[in-house]
């Protein structure tokens, strides 16, 4: 795979300095943003005029064209499970009032230490507060948007895509020909996991709700299963690798569908206790792993270029095409997050902010 590094819309030929100066001026003092100042449900979310961000030395400011919604945003809105507050997002109230991480847009200001990116670059990746007209981002969490990847597809891909990529490769060490079970195959992470596993030569069985089974099949799964009508240990056969994104299955049942030397990767899952939520099973799994030839592993996704760059390559070569199951604008973000909780969304929810830049 070769990444197409032609930055869309970058004028590298002439007038770069003049353009940089103009772009700097194009950051207004105030911007529209989706804000919450305390933890809670969608009712604590407001669309407000707030101060536009300025970059620190290793950061850039992106004029946001579009953003994506994932389950993590929902956890950071509610502050639940409590573990999310304890890992640095703010114990009593959120440290960053502006919501949103997935981003695509154009760089309009760069910090003094940033050399990889320039004003005018079209980028995709992870920002801090992307449901806004302008968002600040660490430069090493952004890559140039490949010229053949649309703003919308770039905007919804990074958070879920790099989680799926790491679960399958770095943690799960998937190999061609292996049987892979993806539990939660229709959601944000799962829709990427099915495609990436298939692109890497694995045979994928996808578990999802009945209404999303056709989508999961179209993403590449050779077999699909409705979790409401069939437990995973009734599917038949065993799997070299189980990617558990949906959670809710006890470890004992997950182990029954693994081969004797198979690997279980626990990505997430809703429900569970107030402290650790769906990740509550992981300590037990780590202990069991010490006495078993099966590998039982949980991980937290690393937001690094090591994974964002290959994900961008997969988007550019077409081996992964994000599934956008819902769309909104900034005003509709709170409802869209609520809908993710109550009804689920196949694939990702797109937030259109400035549109194609
Ligand atoms: N470890 C990490 O670093 C990391 C990174 C990202 C996300 N996560 C976590 O991963 C989880 C999934 O995130 P996401 O963005 O993919 O969420 P999502 O878009 O809401 O997808 C959830 C998936 O789980 C399925 N599901 C729901 N109930 C299920 C059940 N009882 N059994 C099996 N599957 C079930 C859903 O199927 P239907 O919608 O078809 O019913 C859907 O496919 C979340 O808990 C999130 O916090 C962890």
């Amino acid at each position: 795979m070769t990444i197409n590094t032609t930055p869309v819309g970058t004028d590298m030929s002439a007038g770069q300095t003049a353009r940089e100066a103009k772009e700097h001026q194009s950051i207004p003092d105030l911007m529209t943003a989706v804000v919450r100042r305390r933890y809670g449900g969608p009712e604590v979310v407001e669309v407000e005029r707030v101060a536009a961000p300025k970059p620190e030395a290793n950061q850039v400011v992106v004029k946001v064209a579009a953003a994506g919604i994932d389950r993590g945003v929902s956890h950071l809105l509610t502050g639940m499970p409590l573990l999310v507050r304890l890992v640095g997002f703010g114990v009593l109230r959120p440290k960053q009032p502006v919501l949103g991480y997935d981003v695509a847009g154009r760089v309009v200001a760069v910090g003094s230490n940033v050399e990889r990116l320039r004003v005018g670059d079209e980028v995709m990746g992870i920002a801090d507060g992307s449901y806004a007209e302008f968002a600040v981002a660490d430069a090493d969490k952004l890559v140039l948007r490949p010229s053949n990847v649309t703003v919308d597809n770039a905007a919804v891909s990074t958070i879920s895509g790099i989680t799926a990529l790491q679960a399958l490769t770095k943690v799960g060490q998937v190999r061609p020909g292996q049987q892979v079970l993806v539990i939660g195959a229709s959601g944000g992470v799962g829709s990427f996991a099915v495609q990436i596993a298939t692109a890497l030569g694995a045979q994928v069985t996808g578990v999802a709700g009945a209404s999303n089974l056709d989508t999961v099949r179209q993403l590449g799964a050779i077999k699909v299963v409705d979790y409401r009508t069939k437990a995973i240990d009734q599917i038949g056969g065993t799997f070299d690798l189980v990617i558990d994104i949906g959670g809710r299955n006890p470890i004992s049942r997950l182990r029954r569908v693994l081969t004797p030397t198979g690997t279980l990767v626990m990505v997430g899952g809703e429900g569970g206790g107030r402290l650790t939520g769906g990740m509550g099973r992981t300590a037990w799994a780590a202990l069991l792993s010490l006495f078993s030839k099966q590998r039982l592993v949980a991980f937290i996704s690393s937001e690094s270029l090591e994974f964002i760059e290959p994900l961008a390559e997969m988007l550019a070569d077409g081996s992964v095409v994000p599934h956008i199951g819902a769309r909104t604008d900034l005003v509709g973000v709170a409802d869209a997050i609520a809908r993710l909780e109550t009804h689920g969304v196949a694939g990702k929810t797109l937030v259109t902010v400035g549109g194609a830049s």
Side-chain angles (χ1 to χ4, degrees):
M1 286 178 287
T2 309
I3 188 166
N4 183 346
T5 53
T6 310
V8 184
T10 301
D11 178 5
M12 303 292 279
S13 55
Q16 183 75 20
T17 310
R19 179 169 180 171
E20 283 184 26
K22 192 169 161 226
E23 296 280 5
H24 274 286
Q25 286 165 14
S26 72
I27 305 180
D29 292 336
L30 294 177
M31 64 172 186
T32 301
V34 179
V35 169
R36 54 81 172 91
R37 292 197 162 73
R38 59 189 169 96
Y39 292 119
E43 71 283 355
V44 303
V45 177
E46 306 282 354
V47 179
E48 287 181 9
R49 299 287 289 168
V50 299
K54 303 277 185 288
E56 292 182 5
N58 295 314
Q59 294 180 322
V60 305
V61 172
V62 175
K63 185 175 191 301
V64 180
I69 296 179
D70 64 280
R71 276 283 181 162
V73 171
S74 172
H75 291 301
L76 292 173
L77 171 61
T78 59
M80 297 301 289
L82 293 169
L83 188 63
V84 304
R85 306 188 193 196
L86 301 177
V87 295
F89 290 102
V91 175
L92 296 178
R93 63 185 61 81
K95 283 184 185 166
Q96 160 62 291
V98 182
L99 285 164
Y101 288 95
D102 267 336
V103 74
R106 190 175 70 241
V107 174
V108 291
V110 297
S112 54
N113 290 347
V114 176
E115 294 182 352
R116 286 183 54 250
L117 298 172
R118 302 179 67 173
V119 166
D121 283 348
E122 291 287 340
V123 291
M124 58 173 281
I126 300 169
D128 193 7
S130 62
Y131 305 157
E133 291 174 294
F134 297 88
V136 71
D138 292 344
D140 60 6
K141 292 185 182 179
L142 297 173
V143 296
L144 296 176
R145 173 167 62 85
S147 55
N148 63 342
V149 177
T150 65
V151 163
D152 290 0
N153 284 352
V156 296
S157 289
T158 306
I159 295 272
S160 303
I162 63 169
T163 304
L165 187 59
Q166 288 170 70
L168 286 160
T169 58
K170 187 177 180 189
V171 187
Q173 296 165 12
V174 67
R175 292 192 303 278
Q178 283 191 325
Q179 295 293 326
V180 175
L181 180 67
V182 178
I183 304 172
S186 60
V189 179
S191 58
F192 283 94
V194 172
Q195 293 185 71
I196 294 171
T198 303
L200 296 175
Q203 306 237 295
V204 177
T205 298
V207 176
S211 60
N212 292 324
L213 294 181
D214 282 346
T215 301
V216 174
R217 208 178 275 110
Q218 283 159 19
L219 295 171
I222 54 168
K223 187 172 177 182
V224 292
V225 178
D226 173 9
Y227 59 77
R228 289 191 186 87
T229 57
K230 197 177 263 190
I232 55 168
D233 52 358
Q234 295 170 344
I235 296 172
T238 53
F239 298 87
D240 304 293
L241 177 60
V242 174
I243 307 291
D244 184 19
I245 304 160
R248 301 179 199 269
N249 280 289
I251 299 289
S252 55
R253 191 184 295 150
L254 290 160
R255 290 185 70 193
R256 277 204 293 280
V257 303
L258 274 183
T259 60
T261 56
T263 298
L264 164 66
V265 180
M266 287 170 284
V267 177
E270 302 303 309
R274 278 171 57 82
L275 180 60
T276 56
M279 297 301 279
R281 304 163 302 161
T282 55
W284 175 233
L287 186 66
L288 284 175
S289 213
L290 295 174
F291 305 100
S292 170
K293 289 189 174 156
Q294 295 173 328
R295 284 177 67 229
L296 314 173
V297 207
F299 82 108
I300 299 294
S301 171
S302 159
E303 296 177 350
S304 98
L305 289 179
E306 181 188 351
F307 304 105
I308 303 173
E309 282 176 338
L311 176 71
E313 291 174 16
M314 297 187 98
L315 292 167
D317 72 19
S319 48
V320 172
V321 180
H323 182 83
I324 297 176
R327 292 166 189 266
T328 186
D329 56 15
L330 288 180
V331 173
V333 160
D335 286 345
I337 296 171
R339 185 171 172 78
L340 191 59
E341 286 291 324
T342 54
H343 294 80
V345 168
K348 294 297 295 277
T349 300
L350 174 75
V351 183
T352 300
V353 184
S357 51

